[in-house]
């Protein structure tokens, strides 16, 4: 198959969507497909793909228009867009619904400010550009929309009027060899020493860039409350930027800011529990990485990946990502290692059922559906 992938950047260091797309492109190449990638940036080391670079577009609209011109010049069997343009057979916005994300971001503001923000945002150039982009992305009646979770599928219907018959739910997949409990003997002790964490401490981990959106303030407050109760818990925050470091737990010595990391494998190996009380995540790839690493997880119902979890088996779900009380209630029993053991085993088993290989095969089945539709039209 000649497959076209569209993404603004194919640099795994930039984020989850970029990392996943790079892995996926490599999988397609190894499976024998001819892969063309349209992007504005490429990492130096990538699989044997055909690159089509869009140099310095002035705006997101310009990128989408340039991508369409490029794709029109190629003879491809299927075009799969990751959320950047609109000229495609398969549309899979890894950030979920921008409109839903905007609404969830409003929850970070004081109640009195939310209505004002909603009214004024529509006049901002950036917002208007997004609206123009969204109109083109969600208007095609024959396009197949990949939702990363049932939550995102509902958002497609509610905010964008996508018909249910156009939606396919395909959860993210994780590289279960790269992320594995097998790395613990190599990294656990050395990383915990670096972080100042003893064997008696329960180390909570979160990997995030947007601290407020991912619920870091709630986690910091929950750690403080647990320590006040006498529990030996610490939290490591991996990711973020310099200013975020100041806000991450400056007044709580048990919260360790580890900074950005090129490879998070060593931190999963050092941790006892992964915690992400997020306000919005279509299907958190880092949560799947934590499961694959054999970590029990605690996240919110606003994380699409949480749909895969059976509460009490692989971890827990909180209903309100801003509730310190609810998060503390979930974390308290997990400060006991005896309660984490069975969950750790179940977490790894769940991740094995959602491997990158399974994920890629599900998407190939969608491509075959596109090919079948074209054959019917040609006939």
């Amino acid at each position: 198959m000649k497959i076209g992938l569209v993404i603004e950047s194919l640099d795994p260091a930039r984020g989850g969507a970029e990392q996943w797309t790079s892995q996926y492109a490599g999988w397609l190449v190894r499976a024998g497909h001819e892969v063309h990638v349209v992007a504005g940036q490429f990492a130096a080391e990538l699989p044997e793909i055909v690159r089509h670079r869009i140099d310095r577009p002035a705006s997101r609209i310009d990128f989408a228009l340039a991508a369409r011109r490029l794709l029109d010049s190629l003879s491809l069997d299927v075009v799969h867009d990751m959320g950047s343009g609109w000229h495609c057979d398969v549309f899979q916005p890894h950030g979920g619904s921008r409109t839903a994300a905007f609404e969830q971001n409003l929850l970070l503001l004081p109640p009195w400010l939310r209505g004002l923000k909603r009214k004024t945002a529509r006049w901002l150039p950036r917002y208007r550009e997004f609206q123009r982009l969204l109109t083109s992305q969600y208007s095609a009646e024959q396009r197949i929309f990949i939702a990363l979770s049932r939550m995102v599928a509902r958002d497609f219907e509610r905010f964008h009027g996508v018909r249910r018959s156009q939606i396919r739910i395909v959860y993210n997949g994780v590289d279960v060899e790269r992320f594995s409990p097998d790395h613990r003997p190599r990294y656990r002790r050395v990383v915990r020493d670096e972080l100042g964490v003893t064997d008696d401490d329960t180390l909570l981990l979160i990997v995030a860039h947007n601290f407020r959106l991912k619920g870091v303030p709630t986690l910091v407050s929950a750690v403080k409350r647990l320590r006040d109760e006498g529990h030996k818990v610490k939290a490591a925050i991996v990711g973020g930027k310099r200013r975020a470091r100041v806000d991450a737990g400056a007044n709580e010595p048990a919260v360790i800011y580890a900074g950005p990391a090129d490879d998070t494998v060593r931190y999963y190996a050092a941790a006892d529990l992964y915690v992400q009380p997020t306000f919005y995540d279509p299907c958190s790839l880092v949560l799947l990485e934590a499961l694959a690493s054999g970590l029990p997880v605690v996240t919110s119902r606003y994380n699409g990946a949480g749909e895969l979890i059976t509460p009490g088996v692989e971890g827990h779900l909180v209903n309100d990502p801003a509730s310190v009380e609810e998060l503390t209630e979930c974390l308290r029993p997990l400060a006991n290692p005896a309660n984490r053991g069975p969950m750790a085993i179940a977490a790894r088993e769940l991740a094995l059922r959602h491997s990158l290989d399974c994920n890629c095969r599900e998407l190939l089945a969608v491509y075959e559906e596109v090919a079948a539709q074209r054959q019917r039209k040609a006939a």
Side-chain angles (χ1 to χ4, degrees):
M1 236 181 199
K2 292 179 66 176
I3 300 168
L5 305 179
V6 182
I7 188 168
E8 288 186 12
S9 171
L10 195 67
D11 181 354
R14 290 180 64 88
E18 294 82 2
Q19 177 184 328
W20 180 91
T21 306
S22 297
Q23 292 176 325
Y24 181 50
W27 187 93
L28 289 172
V29 169
R30 291 190 296 274
H33 300 281
E34 181 180 318
V35 181
H36 296 251
V37 179
V38 176
Q41 296 177 328
F42 291 87
E45 296 181 3
L46 286 170
E48 294 298 320
I49 59 173
V50 183
R51 305 184 184 201
H52 304 275
R53 186 187 300 275
I54 298 175
D55 288 324
R56 294 186 292 277
S59 67
R60 291 178 176 85
I61 299 296
D62 287 336
F63 177 91
L65 291 171
R68 177 166 192 164
R69 288 192 294 270
L70 265 172
L71 293 164
D72 280 339
S73 69
L74 305 173
S75 180
L76 300 173
D77 296 312
V78 63
V79 175
H80 182 172
D81 193 297
M82 306 302 167
S84 303
W86 59 72
H87 188 62
C88 58
D89 305 291
V90 179
F91 185 67
Q92 183 184 8
H94 282 260
S97 161
R98 287 190 186 274
T99 306
F102 175 80
E103 291 296 321
Q104 288 302 116
N105 268 283
L106 290 179
L107 298 179
L108 301 173
L109 301 175
W112 64 269
L113 188 56
R114 294 171 191 169
L116 179 62
K117 176 75 171 180
R118 190 180 286 111
K119 289 179 181 178
T120 56
R122 70 186 62 179
W123 302 108
L124 299 175
R126 182 171 178 268
Y127 182 87
R128 294 167 71 177
E129 180 186 40
F130 277 137
Q131 287 305 110
R132 182 183 169 191
L133 194 61
L134 292 175
T135 298
S136 297
Q137 288 173 337
Y138 289 96
S139 61
E141 294 188 359
Q142 299 303 317
R143 187 169 296 155
I144 292 178
F145 294 85
I146 301 291
L148 296 180
S149 59
R150 294 192 300 273
M151 178 187 74
V152 173
R154 291 192 296 269
D155 291 339
F156 285 171
E157 293 183 78
R158 176 187 174 190
F159 293 110
H160 307 289
V162 178
R163 299 193 311 274
R164 188 168 300 181
S165 61
Q166 293 178 268
I167 301 172
R168 308 291 180 271
I169 298 175
V170 181
Y171 292 96
N172 275 331
V174 61
D175 184 339
V176 293
E177 294 182 4
R178 179 183 175 198
F179 298 96
S180 168
D182 293 343
H183 298 301
R184 285 180 187 164
R186 179 181 178 186
Y187 292 119
R188 184 174 176 84
R189 182 67 271 150
V190 65
V191 175
R192 289 172 79 96
D193 285 345
E194 289 174 6
L195 298 176
V197 177
T198 69
D199 290 336
D200 294 333
D201 291 324
T202 296
L203 180 60
L204 316 181
L205 174 68
I206 184 170
V207 179
H209 293 296
N210 187 333
F211 285 179
R212 294 185 66 210
L213 183 67
K214 304 301 182 178
V216 169
T218 309
L219 172 59
V220 169
S221 297
V223 167
K224 185 177 187 305
R225 186 165 299 188
L226 287 168
R227 288 183 66 84
D228 288 344
E229 294 175 2
H231 298 285
K232 295 192 68 176
V233 298
K234 291 184 178 180
I237 303 171
V238 176
K241 298 180 180 178
R242 187 171 299 175
R243 180 171 179 179
R245 177 175 183 171
V246 177
D247 303 328
N251 298 320
E252 180 48 64
V255 175
I256 306 151
Y257 177 82
D262 293 332
D263 187 5
T264 53
V265 167
R266 58 201 307 272
Y267 290 102
Y268 292 123
D272 299 302
L273 184 65
Y274 187 82
V275 187
Q276 187 172 309
T278 181
F279 283 79
Y280 187 75
D281 253 308
C283 184
S284 172
L285 192 57
V286 291
L287 192 87
L288 292 172
E289 293 170 356
L291 289 167
S293 302
L295 294 180
V297 300
V298 178
T299 189
S300 79
R301 67 183 181 90
Y302 295 109
N303 186 345
E307 297 170 6
L308 304 174
I309 295 167
T310 301
V313 178
E314 302 91 4
H316 293 290
L317 298 176
V318 297
N319 292 308
D320 182 1
S323 173
V324 178
E325 292 78 8
E326 190 179 2
L327 182 60
T328 304
E329 191 71 23
C330 287
L331 293 177
R332 190 178 290 115
L334 295 177
N336 184 343
N339 295 330
R340 297 196 301 266
M343 282 190 172
I345 295 170
R348 175 65 179 176
E349 291 174 349
L350 176 60
L352 290 173
R353 297 195 296 271
H354 293 276
S355 68
L356 180 65
D357 186 67
C358 293
N359 183 202
C360 296
R361 293 186 187 280
E362 286 185 80
L363 289 171
L364 272 184
V366 176
Y367 293 176
E368 290 166 3
E369 186 180 348
V370 170
Q373 287 178 354
R374 288 184 176 176
Q375 286 180 352
R376 286 194 295 268
K377 282 185 180 180

